[in-house]
């Protein structure tokens, strides 16, 4: 069965960086596009970024464009999110999720359990 | 403020039927983009409930159904059960934002 395990969350100061990882198993990782979706405390879901199955195409939400970078290592079955110039409003639980179907008409099929990122001085 | 509008809350008694609306515009649902629904029990990760407007993944009970018309979509839940208490989110794509979008979420309470 599909398993997605996020890691790398924690506390970071404004302006600093953090890198999240998502280890995948139970499916052919190299065949799937992947996403990061976040949820601020007590708030709804917000899509952050998507990367195609081969890593060649990436799209970002306007709120993180230019600061966050999504990548995937198909040899390690791992998805990453490099978060730079962090802001207080980036505080959230970050979920990785598999993408099913073409972009942008597909959907988030399987989700990890999430990792909490807190940006505070 | 999301471009997909959902009611903040709905409620119903066990066994009853409830619907959750997701209202968009000509730049998302009305542009022909599919609507997908997710269920999130508080403290847990979201789970895919309906994809492609009307399709249920395997394992999702047929008490859950989706529909889409014009610039809106709906999720219907029949035979309400206490385990259905959760937050429900619709999701689509918006051409003005050039990105994937979620509705603000609807909290379902089973009385």
């Amino acid at each position: 069965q599909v398993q997605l395990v996020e890691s790398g969350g924690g506390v970071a100061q404004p302006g600093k960086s953090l890198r999240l990882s998502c280890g995948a198993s139970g499916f052919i990782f190299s065949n799937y596009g992947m996403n990061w979706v976040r949820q601020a405390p007590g708030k709804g879901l917000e899509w952050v970024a998507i990367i195609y199955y081969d890593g060649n195409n990436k799209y970002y939400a306007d709120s993180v464009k230019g600061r966050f970078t999504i990548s995937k290592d198909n040899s390690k079955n791992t998805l990453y999110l490099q978060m730079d110039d962090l802001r207080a409003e980036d505080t959230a639980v970050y979920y990785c999720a598999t993408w099913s179907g073409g972009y942008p008409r597909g959907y988030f099929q399987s989700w990890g359990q999430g990792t909490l990122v807190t940006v505070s001085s | 403020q999301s471009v997909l509008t959902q009611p903040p809350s709905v409620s119903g008694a066990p066994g009853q039927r409830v619907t959750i609306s997701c209202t968009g515009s000509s730049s998302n649902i009305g542009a022909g983009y599919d609507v997908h629904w997710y269920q999130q029990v508080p403290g847990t990760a979201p789970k895919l409930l309906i994809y492609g407007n009307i399709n249920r993944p395997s394992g999702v009970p047929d008490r859950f159904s989706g529909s889409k018309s014009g610039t809106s979509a709906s999720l219907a839940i029949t035979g309400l059960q206490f385990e259905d208490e959760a937050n429900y989110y619709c999701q689509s794509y918006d051409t003005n934002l050039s990105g994937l979008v979620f509705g603000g979420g609807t909290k379902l309470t089973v009385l």
Side-chain angles (χ1 to χ4, degrees):
Chain A
Q1 68 283 17
V2 172
Q3 190 168 10
L4 300 169
V5 180
E6 300 92 337
S7 60
V11 180
Q13 293 180 328
K16 297 298 188 182
S17 300
L18 212 55
R19 189 176 86 154
L20 305 183
S21 300
C22 171
S25 60
F27 65 104
I28 303 174
F29 184 71
S30 58
N31 286 355
Y32 281 80
M34 296 293 296
N35 293 265
W36 289 99
V37 177
R38 68 185 180 183
Q39 186 169 36
K43 303 297 184 182
L45 302 172
E46 180 189 15
W47 170 72
V48 173
I50 186 172
I51 185 168
Y52 276 26
Y53 70 100
D54 57 3
N56 285 342
N57 293 82
K58 308 170 187 181
Y59 299 95
Y60 299 89
D62 286 345
S63 57
V64 306
K65 202 173 294 182
R67 301 187 300 120
F68 289 12
T69 303
I70 188 172
S71 62
K72 70 193 305 255
D73 187 334
N74 286 337
S75 68
K76 295 183 178 179
N77 286 356
T78 303
L79 173 73
Y80 302 100
L81 184 67
Q82 177 67 39
M83 304 186 294
D84 298 324
D85 188 23
L86 282 163
R87 304 169 181 170
E89 54 264 35
D90 296 320
T91 295
V93 173
Y94 286 73
Y95 297 100
C96 66
T98 63
W99 185 251
S100 187
Y103 181 79
R105 295 186 178 275
Y107 50 91
F108 306 101
Q109 186 166 29
S110 299
W111 299 67
Q113 86 290 348
T115 187
L116 175 63
V117 171
T118 302
V119 183
S120 174
S121 54
Chain B
Q1 192 84 351
S2 176
V3 295
L4 301 179
T5 301
Q6 297 181 235
S9 63
V10 297
S11 63
Q16 285 190 334
R17 178 182 187 270
V18 297
T19 61
I20 299 173
S21 60
C22 176
T23 303
S25 67
S26 59
S27 65
N28 41 69
I29 299 175
Y33 290 99
D34 287 342
V35 177
H36 320 289
W37 292 90
Y38 304 86
Q39 178 193 58
Q40 185 180 33
V41 174
T44 70
K47 167 192 165 186
L48 178 66
L49 199 62
I50 297 287
Y51 67 94
N53 306 312
I54 61 172
N55 303 293
R56 276 177 290 106
S58 61
V60 173
D62 59 6
R63 301 185 295 104
F64 295 89
S65 63
S67 64
K68 174 189 165 184
S69 179
T71 58
S72 296
S74 289
L75 172 71
I77 310 171
T78 59
L80 267 182
Q81 299 181 5
F82 286 114
E83 67 197 47
D84 298 333
E85 272 208 351
N87 293 300
Y88 293 84
Y89 296 89
C90 60
Q91 176 256 312
S92 187
Y93 176 81
D94 189 270
T95 57
N96 287 344
L97 298 175
S98 297
L100 303 170
V101 291
F102 287 95
T106 298
K107 179 179 174 59
L108 168 63
T109 301
V110 181
L111 304 168

